[in-house]
Amino acid sequence: MSRAGRTGGGRGRLGHVLSSVATATGCVLFLGGFVWAAVLYRPYTVPTGSMAPTVDAGDRVLAQRIDGDQVRRGDIVVFRDSVWGGLPVTKRVVGVGGDTVECCDDRGRLTVNGTPVDEPYVRGQDRASLTAFETTVPEGRLFLLGDHRSESLDSRTHLQDANSGSVDRDAVTGRVDATVWPLSGAGMVDRPGSFADLPGGISRPGPLGPLLAAIAAGAALILGGAAYDPLAALRERRRSLAHNGGTHA
Protein backbone atom coordinates (compact mmCIF):
# COMPACT_ATOMS: atom_id res chain seq x y z
CA MET A 1 0.00 0.00 0.00
CA SER A 2 1.26 3.47 -0.84
CA ARG A 3 2.18 6.03 1.81
CA ALA A 4 -0.67 8.23 0.55
CA GLY A 5 -3.12 5.35 1.01
CA ARG A 6 -1.93 4.68 4.57
CA THR A 7 -2.15 8.40 5.44
CA GLY A 8 -5.63 8.68 3.96
CA GLY A 9 -6.79 5.63 5.92
CA GLY A 10 -5.38 7.10 9.14
CA ARG A 11 -7.19 10.35 8.60
CA GLY A 12 -10.39 8.44 7.91
CA ARG A 13 -10.12 6.42 11.14
CA LEU A 14 -9.37 9.55 13.16
CA GLY A 15 -12.28 11.37 11.58
CA HIS A 16 -14.61 8.46 12.36
CA VAL A 17 -13.47 8.43 16.00
CA LEU A 18 -13.95 12.18 16.33
CA SER A 19 -17.41 12.02 14.73
CA SER A 20 -18.40 9.26 17.18
CA VAL A 21 -17.19 11.33 20.12
CA ALA A 22 -19.09 14.38 18.80
CA THR A 23 -22.27 12.35 18.40
CA ALA A 24 -22.00 10.84 21.89
CA THR A 25 -21.28 14.25 23.46
CA GLY A 26 -24.17 15.75 21.52
CA CYS A 27 -26.56 13.09 22.82
CA VAL A 28 -25.52 13.80 26.40
CA LEU A 29 -26.02 17.55 25.99
CA PHE A 30 -29.26 17.25 24.02
CA LEU A 31 -31.00 14.63 26.18
CA GLY A 32 -29.53 15.95 29.42
CA GLY A 33 -30.71 19.46 28.63
CA PHE A 34 -34.23 18.25 27.86
CA VAL A 35 -34.46 16.09 30.98
CA TRP A 36 -33.10 18.81 33.27
CA ALA A 37 -35.43 21.41 31.72
CA ALA A 38 -38.38 19.06 32.29
CA VAL A 39 -37.39 18.74 35.95
CA LEU A 40 -36.97 22.48 36.52
CA TYR A 41 -39.71 23.90 34.29
CA ARG A 42 -43.40 23.42 33.66
CA PRO A 43 -45.38 24.68 30.66
CA TYR A 44 -48.53 26.77 31.06
CA THR A 45 -51.02 28.25 28.63
CA VAL A 46 -52.05 31.79 29.60
CA PRO A 47 -55.87 31.94 29.42
CA THR A 48 -56.45 35.72 29.36
CA GLY A 49 -54.89 38.93 28.10
CA SER A 50 -54.43 40.42 31.57
CA MET A 51 -50.63 40.25 31.24
CA ALA A 52 -50.47 41.76 27.74
CA PRO A 53 -48.32 42.93 26.11
CA THR A 54 -45.70 40.95 28.08
CA VAL A 55 -47.68 37.73 27.69
CA ASP A 56 -50.79 37.49 25.51
CA ALA A 57 -53.85 35.27 25.82
CA GLY A 58 -53.11 31.80 24.45
CA ASP A 59 -49.33 32.14 24.81
CA ARG A 60 -47.46 29.07 25.98
CA VAL A 61 -44.93 29.92 28.70
CA LEU A 62 -42.30 28.04 30.69
CA ALA A 63 -42.36 28.62 34.44
CA GLN A 64 -39.52 27.57 36.70
CA ARG A 65 -40.67 25.46 39.62
CA ILE A 66 -39.82 27.52 42.70
CA ASP A 67 -40.78 27.91 46.34
CA GLY A 68 -42.74 30.96 47.38
CA ASP A 69 -39.75 32.18 49.40
CA GLN A 70 -37.82 32.70 46.15
CA VAL A 71 -40.34 35.20 44.76
CA ARG A 72 -39.20 38.81 44.38
CA ARG A 73 -40.96 42.01 43.32
CA GLY A 74 -41.28 42.24 39.54
CA ASP A 75 -41.55 38.47 39.03
CA ILE A 76 -44.32 37.11 36.85
CA VAL A 77 -45.64 34.11 38.75
CA VAL A 78 -48.18 31.33 38.32
CA PHE A 79 -50.26 30.59 41.42
CA ARG A 80 -53.44 28.91 42.59
CA ASP A 81 -55.72 30.45 45.19
CA SER A 82 -59.24 29.39 46.08
CA VAL A 83 -60.37 33.01 46.44
CA TRP A 84 -59.26 33.60 42.84
CA GLY A 85 -61.12 30.54 41.56
CA GLY A 86 -58.58 27.79 42.23
CA LEU A 87 -57.26 27.74 38.66
CA PRO A 88 -53.70 28.68 37.60
CA VAL A 89 -53.41 32.48 37.44
CA THR A 90 -50.52 34.49 35.96
CA LYS A 91 -49.76 37.94 37.42
CA ARG A 92 -46.82 40.19 38.31
CA VAL A 93 -45.69 40.61 41.91
CA VAL A 94 -45.52 44.30 42.87
CA GLY A 95 -45.50 43.99 46.65
CA VAL A 96 -44.30 41.50 49.29
CA GLY A 97 -45.07 41.11 52.98
CA GLY A 98 -44.76 44.40 54.88
CA ASP A 99 -44.88 46.60 51.76
CA THR A 100 -47.26 49.51 51.44
CA VAL A 101 -48.42 49.59 47.82
CA GLU A 102 -50.17 52.72 46.62
CA CYS A 103 -51.38 54.25 43.39
CA CYS A 104 -50.86 56.74 42.15
CA ASP A 105 -48.29 59.50 42.69
CA ASP A 106 -48.54 62.86 40.91
CA ARG A 107 -47.02 61.28 37.76
CA GLY A 108 -49.45 58.35 37.76
CA ARG A 109 -46.87 55.84 39.02
CA LEU A 110 -47.23 52.96 41.43
CA THR A 111 -45.32 53.46 44.69
CA VAL A 112 -43.92 50.79 47.00
CA ASN A 113 -43.09 52.03 50.50
CA GLY A 114 -43.20 55.54 49.08
CA THR A 115 -40.73 54.80 46.27
CA PRO A 116 -42.13 55.43 42.76
CA VAL A 117 -41.81 52.48 40.37
CA ASP A 118 -41.52 52.98 36.62
CA GLU A 119 -43.36 50.19 34.77
CA PRO A 120 -42.54 50.22 31.05
CA TYR A 121 -44.33 46.87 30.61
CA VAL A 122 -47.76 48.35 31.42
CA ARG A 123 -49.97 48.57 28.33
CA GLY A 124 -50.35 52.13 27.08
CA GLN A 125 -52.11 54.24 29.67
CA ASP A 126 -51.11 57.35 31.59
CA ARG A 127 -51.56 55.87 35.05
CA ALA A 128 -50.41 52.64 36.67
CA SER A 129 -54.01 52.07 37.73
CA LEU A 130 -57.24 53.76 36.69
CA THR A 131 -58.54 53.25 40.24
CA ALA A 132 -56.68 54.69 43.24
CA PHE A 133 -55.79 52.34 46.08
CA GLU A 134 -53.49 51.92 49.07
CA THR A 135 -52.82 48.72 50.99
CA THR A 136 -50.26 47.13 53.28
CA VAL A 137 -49.35 43.57 52.32
CA PRO A 138 -49.57 41.08 55.22
CA GLU A 139 -46.38 39.19 56.09
CA GLY A 140 -45.84 36.02 54.06
CA ARG A 141 -48.10 37.22 51.27
CA LEU A 142 -47.85 38.85 47.83
CA PHE A 143 -49.69 41.69 46.08
CA LEU A 144 -50.12 41.02 42.35
CA LEU A 145 -51.22 43.05 39.34
CA GLY A 146 -51.67 42.32 35.65
CA ASP A 147 -49.66 44.33 33.12
CA HIS A 148 -52.85 45.18 31.21
CA ARG A 149 -54.15 47.21 34.15
CA SER A 150 -57.43 48.34 32.59
CA GLU A 151 -58.43 44.73 31.84
CA SER A 152 -56.83 42.75 34.67
CA LEU A 153 -58.78 41.25 37.57
CA ASP A 154 -56.05 41.17 40.19
CA SER A 155 -55.30 42.09 43.81
CA ARG A 156 -57.16 45.39 43.34
CA THR A 157 -60.35 43.41 42.72
CA HIS A 158 -59.93 41.60 46.06
CA LEU A 159 -58.98 44.56 48.25
CA GLN A 160 -62.08 44.06 50.40
CA ASP A 161 -61.22 40.43 51.11
CA ALA A 162 -59.78 39.34 54.46
CA ASN A 163 -56.18 39.58 53.23
CA SER A 164 -56.59 42.83 51.26
CA GLY A 165 -56.19 41.17 47.88
CA SER A 166 -52.92 39.44 48.71
CA VAL A 167 -51.98 35.82 47.98
CA ASP A 168 -50.02 33.45 50.21
CA ARG A 169 -46.44 32.87 49.02
CA ASP A 170 -47.06 29.13 49.22
CA ALA A 171 -49.73 29.46 46.50
CA VAL A 172 -47.00 30.16 43.93
CA THR A 173 -46.18 27.17 41.69
CA GLY A 174 -43.77 28.76 39.22
CA ARG A 175 -42.01 31.88 37.95
CA VAL A 176 -42.33 32.64 34.22
CA ASP A 177 -38.96 32.65 32.48
CA ALA A 178 -39.89 32.51 28.79
CA THR A 179 -42.62 32.51 26.18
CA VAL A 180 -42.25 29.55 23.82
CA TRP A 181 -45.39 29.77 21.68
CA PRO A 182 -46.25 31.29 19.28
CA LEU A 183 -42.76 31.23 17.77
CA SER A 184 -43.14 34.83 16.58
CA GLY A 185 -43.24 35.96 20.20
CA ALA A 186 -40.89 33.39 21.71
CA GLY A 187 -38.17 34.73 23.99
CA MET A 188 -36.95 35.19 27.53
CA VAL A 189 -38.99 37.26 29.97
CA ASP A 190 -36.82 40.03 31.44
CA ARG A 191 -36.65 40.91 35.12
CA PRO A 192 -37.71 44.57 35.45
CA GLY A 193 -34.98 46.76 36.88
CA SER A 194 -37.59 49.11 38.36
CA PHE A 195 -37.70 47.09 41.59
CA ALA A 196 -33.95 46.47 41.86
CA ASP A 197 -33.27 49.26 44.37
CA LEU A 198 -35.95 48.12 46.82
CA PRO A 199 -34.95 45.84 49.73
CA GLY A 200 -34.50 42.26 48.51
CA GLY A 201 -33.83 43.40 44.95
CA ILE A 202 -35.02 41.32 42.00
CA SER A 203 -34.66 37.64 41.24
CA ARG A 204 -31.91 36.25 39.05
CA PRO A 205 -32.76 34.69 35.68
CA GLY A 206 -33.36 30.95 35.86
CA PRO A 207 -31.16 28.34 34.13
CA LEU A 208 -33.34 28.13 31.02
CA GLY A 209 -30.89 30.07 28.83
CA PRO A 210 -27.92 27.74 29.51
CA LEU A 211 -30.18 24.70 29.14
CA LEU A 212 -31.40 25.86 25.73
CA ALA A 213 -27.79 26.54 24.71
CA ALA A 214 -26.81 23.00 25.75
CA ILE A 215 -29.73 21.52 23.79
CA ALA A 216 -28.81 23.54 20.68
CA ALA A 217 -25.11 22.61 20.97
CA GLY A 218 -26.06 18.96 21.42
CA ALA A 219 -28.24 19.02 18.31
CA ALA A 220 -25.42 20.59 16.29
CA LEU A 221 -22.91 17.97 17.46
CA ILE A 222 -25.31 15.11 16.70
CA LEU A 223 -25.98 16.40 13.18
CA GLY A 224 -22.31 17.10 12.56
CA GLY A 225 -21.20 13.70 13.83
CA ALA A 226 -23.87 11.84 11.92
CA ALA A 227 -23.01 13.67 8.71
CA TYR A 228 -19.28 12.88 8.81
CA ASP A 229 -19.31 9.28 7.53
CA PRO A 230 -21.63 9.91 4.53
CA LEU A 231 -19.67 13.03 3.59
CA ALA A 232 -16.34 11.20 3.96
CA ALA A 233 -17.62 8.34 1.79
CA LEU A 234 -18.80 10.79 -0.86
CA ARG A 235 -15.45 12.58 -0.81
CA GLU A 236 -13.55 9.30 -1.22
CA ARG A 237 -15.81 8.24 -4.08
CA ARG A 238 -15.14 11.50 -5.89
CA ARG A 239 -11.39 11.10 -5.36
CA SER A 240 -11.56 7.55 -6.69
CA LEU A 241 -13.49 8.64 -9.78
CA ALA A 242 -11.06 11.47 -10.38
CA HIS A 243 -8.07 9.12 -9.97
CA ASN A 244 -9.52 6.48 -12.29
CA GLY A 245 -10.40 9.12 -14.86
CA GLY A 246 -6.86 10.46 -14.80
CA THR A 247 -5.39 6.93 -15.21
CA HIS A 248 -7.56 6.12 -18.23
CA ALA A 249 -6.59 9.41 -19.85
Side-chain angles (χ1 to χ4, degrees):
M1 180 181 293
S2 69
R3 179 179 178 84
R6 291 195 301 271
T7 303
R11 285 199 303 266
R13 286 191 295 273
L14 177 59
H16 178 74
V17 171
L18 291 177
S19 70
S20 298
V21 171
T23 301
T25 304
C27 287
V28 171
L29 289 173
F30 187 80
L31 296 177
F34 260 118
V35 170
W36 197 233
V39 170
L40 294 179
Y41 286 88
R42 182 176 177 181
Y44 290 91
T45 299
V46 178
T48 72
S50 68
M51 283 300 297
T54 309
V55 183
D56 288 314
D59 282 1
R60 193 77 165 168
V61 301
L62 288 180
Q64 182 184 1
R65 302 171 193 263
I66 61 170
D67 294 328
D69 290 342
Q70 297 174 265
V71 175
R72 298 290 181 269
R73 302 179 193 87
D75 287 345
I76 298 175
V77 298
V78 180
F79 65 93
R80 289 175 180 266
D81 187 282
S82 59
V83 176
W84 298 52
L87 297 175
V89 181
T90 306
K91 301 292 180 186
R92 188 183 297 275
V93 177
V94 299
V96 298
D99 284 348
T100 296
V101 183
E102 184 177 0
C103 196
C104 301
D105 70 359
D106 55 3
R107 291 176 54 187
R109 295 174 298 180
L110 189 76
T111 66
V112 179
N113 302 326
T115 301
V117 177
D118 291 317
E119 299 182 281
Y121 44 77
V122 174
R123 172 160 278 182
Q125 60 184 55
D126 294 333
R127 299 174 63 81
S129 174
L130 298 180
T131 56
F133 67 89
E134 180 180 359
T135 187
T136 298
V137 186
E139 291 295 336
R141 302 184 70 85
L142 306 168
F143 196 80
L144 307 109
L145 300 178
D147 288 357
H148 196 346
R149 299 286 159 82
S150 62
E151 298 292 332
S152 177
L153 300 178
D154 45 41
S155 287
R156 296 170 299 173
T157 310
H158 298 278
L159 281 172
Q160 302 308 314
D161 296 345
N163 292 297
S164 302
S166 64
V167 171
D168 195 301
R169 279 183 176 270
D170 290 340
V172 174
T173 59
R175 178 170 52 214
V176 176
D177 259 3
T179 301
V180 295
W181 188 263
L183 292 178
S184 59
M188 304 299 291
V189 174
D190 293 331
R191 304 291 196 269
S194 313
F195 296 92
D197 292 334
L198 292 171
I202 57 177
S203 62
R204 295 181 178 181
L208 184 59
L211 287 174
L212 293 177
I215 292 171
L221 286 171
I222 291 171
L223 292 174
Y228 175 80
D229 284 343
L231 290 175
L234 178 61
R235 184 170 61 250
E236 289 301 319
R237 182 181 178 188
R238 287 179 175 175
R239 286 178 179 173
S240 177
L241 289 175
H243 176 74
N244 291 335
T247 301
H248 293 156

